[in-house]
Amino acid sequence: SEPLADFPSEKQKAYEECFIEAAREAGSLFLADGEIARAWPYFRAIAEPAPVAAAIEKVQAGDGIEGVIEIAFHEGVHPRKGFDLILEQYGVCRAITSLQQYPGRQGREDCLRRLVRTVHRDLLESLKRAIERAEGQVPETDNIPALIAGRDWLFGEHDYYLDTSHVVSVIQFSAETSDPE
């Protein structure tokens, strides 16, 4: 319970090594039980996020995922996987909000890339469904300009294929990335 500085200098290193080993062991036991949120404080205390990041990589979206998302995305242990979990669990709106609030630069470009790809996929699927309804079959191309070419009927007064706020957000985010894709 005493500060490390209060220990005799010859015992400080041994104490520190024991502390680190105890934290690593406790954290590892929680990880072995699949308890990422309970393991994280131990690994955070010794500045070893790698075992937690490796465990997060294997996690799938589902009930009780909030704590893992907090650690992965908001605390920056594994931002890309945390963002993937947000997209899977809560969808594009929540992912956009989370990205707007994301404090760090590490992993941000990966998250932006995933957001753009998700919005692109959603647009592609919406266009294909609309064309299938109108023409009776799903187009084989995944090229959006080819899908809309010659189909002016897709752009009626009340027709849209994505939430416009998603489009605006992606356009705003795109200024932050150097990825030409």
Side-chain angles (χ1 to χ4, degrees), residues 109-127:
E109 186 125 354
D110 281 339
C111 295
L112 289 170
R113 195 174 298 114
R114 286 174 160 12
L115 178 62
V116 168
R117 287 183 180 144
T118 299
V119 169
H120 180 271
R121 183 200 66 221
D122 291 351
L123 174 59
L124 187 62
E125 290 172 0
S126 292
L127 285 169

Side-chain angles (χ1 to χ4, degrees), residues 3 6 21 28 32 44-46 60 93 97 103 120 128 131 160 162 169:
D6 290 349
E21 189 54 40
S28 296
R44 180 178 52 211
I46 59 173
Q60 300 297 315
C93 283
T97 301
H120 180 271
K128 283 185 166 189
I131 293 168
Y160 68 96
L162 281 177
S169 294

Side-chain angles (χ1 to χ4, degrees), residues 96-107:
I96 288 169
T97 301
S98 295
L99 196 55
Q100 287 169 335
Q101 298 169 356
Y102 185 64
R105 298 296 316 152
Q106 176 194 1

